[in-house]
Amino acid sequence: MKKLLTMIVAGMIALTAAPVWSDDADELLSNNGGVGSLRGLVEISTTNKSEPLKRVPRDVQPIDRNYVQQPPLVPHTTRGYQVNLNANKCLSCHSFKNAGEMGATKISVTHYETRDGTTLSDVSPRRYFCLQCHVTQADAKPLVENTFLPVDSLR
Amino acid sequence: MLNLLKRLWVIMKSPSSAAMGFILILGFTGGIIFWGGFNMGMEATNSEEFCAGCHAPIVKEIRETIHYSNRSGVRAICSDCHVPHNWTDKIIRKVQASKELVAFAMGTIGTQEKFEARRGYLANREWHRMKENDSAECRNCHEFDFMDFSEQGARSVKQHSTALASGEKTCVDCHKGIAHQLPNMEGIEGW
């Protein structure tokens, strides 16, 4: 009797649990609410094949900006450039002090402002980590479709 | 005793060809063993493992840099940049380096913290040394005369064809931290 009871209980658990492990790709497709992810329609446990790394050209013409406030892209390699507590390689060329001698573009004055608009005597901490906003240029296709158009004055 | 010396003197004065050969061979092999051993010592103390014994943090950092891994697979190891190739300079640097042994015994860079604290001082010494010898070690591999400006990036050409070509600046003036994490650069020229 006891044995039968355990079997029934076990059977019921198995039945209710079944849909959880019979979840397959079909369900993944129909159940995503129309949202696709950049990693494609694959189970979270599957490891995607990684894309080849983009090659960064050593020195090229900068790509034009699309809107006025856009952080310009970096038109050269930045491999091994140290930006940390001790040193900032970017500023060794782009700071107001060095830009002239190195023939580099000066950082804009907005980089001296704190978020409440006070102008400091040196680069504001929130602008110190250059590569947070400026990325290196590479021949990369947009990951998602983008229909943004610059205003007429920039075209 | 006196007799023995006299006998030896006679042999030396009129050596049979066999004895002469013996002496020559002795001198020759002795020389080889001494010279070889000396140079082997010089070689062994040039290897990265040797430096790693005391400079473990540095050896770890270098893996990310261009002189450890690059498209052509040519490497620069510690001694390429830090030990002069010219023989007399090499001996001088090695003797200087013996004082690193004293510093090691004192533990000046024995822990990560102590190393960080002393790093600025050590880096400055190294920059100074390379400035004095016009970056001779860099030039063992990178010769200005053979730089092809049409192959270099625009920024490289701009600096190399002016400040470098005129001798106004040397490699380490512009290429600091090419192989290592930098110390605090506040107040360093050009930073």
Side-chain angles (χ1 to χ4, degrees), chain B:
Chain B
M1 189 63 197
L2 209 71
N3 259 344
L4 193 81
L5 277 178
K6 266 185 189 158
R7 279 232 306 272
L8 247 171
W9 177 241
V10 172
I11 294 176
M12 299 282 262
K13 227 169 68 175
S14 54
S16 70
S17 49
M20 185 68 176
F22 178 70
I23 287 171
L24 267 179
I25 288 170
L26 207 75
F28 199 62
T29 44
I32 288 181
I33 290 171
F34 175 73
W35 186 242
F38 184 70
N39 265 340
M40 242 159 71
M42 297 287 270
E43 286 304 316
T45 54
N46 261 354
S47 75
E48 195 167 84
E49 292 79 55
F50 175 72
C51 310
C54 302
H55 294 293
I58 284 212
V59 175
K60 213 163 73 202
E61 284 170 11
I62 216 156
R63 309 241 146 119
E64 294 166 15
T65 69
I66 188 98
H67 288 101
Y68 186 90
S69 102
N70 54 55
R71 68 204 161 116
S72 31
V74 183
R75 274 205 60 197
I77 60 168
C78 317
S79 49
D80 288 330
C81 291
H82 288 296
V83 184
H85 287 216
N86 169 312
W87 200 82
T88 41
D89 289 351
K90 178 147 99 183
I91 302 293
I92 292 171
R93 178 71 184 101
K94 293 263 167 171
V95 174
Q96 278 176 350
S98 336
K99 81 174 186 302
E100 285 181 19
L101 290 175
V102 179
F104 175 67
M106 285 168 25
T108 51
I109 55 167
T111 63
Q112 188 71 32
E113 290 75 21
K114 282 189 191 169
F115 174 52
E116 302 290 348
R118 201 168 166 77
R119 186 158 210 177
Y121 169 77
L122 296 175
N124 260 302
R125 265 214 317 231
E126 211 50 22
W127 289 325
H128 182 72
R129 188 180 69 77
M130 291 190 183
K131 215 170 152 59
E132 290 287 287
N133 71 8
D134 196 13
S135 312
E137 287 87 42
C138 312
R139 290 175 196 265
N140 280 324
C141 294
H142 301 272
E143 279 204 58
F144 175 74
D145 287 344
F146 303 113
M147 281 186 179
D148 182 348
F149 286 167
S150 67
E151 281 289 324
Q152 292 194 348
R155 293 174 306 146
S156 318
V157 175
K158 192 169 199 162
Q159 298 299 327
H160 291 163
S161 63
T162 53
L164 177 63
S166 68
E168 181 197 324
K169 288 199 174 153
T170 185
C171 315
V172 283
D173 285 332
C174 300
H175 292 290
K176 292 188 168 70
I178 187 76
H180 308 296
Q181 291 289 312
L182 287 164
N184 192 337
M185 298 301 279
E186 218 172 308
I188 306 283
E189 198 198 330
W191 287 77

Side-chain angles (χ1 to χ4, degrees), chain A residues 111-123:
Chain A
H111 293 61
Y112 289 78
E113 282 167 19
T114 61
R115 71 171 163 190
D116 35 61
T118 325
T119 304
L120 305 177
S121 64
D122 206 344
V123 175

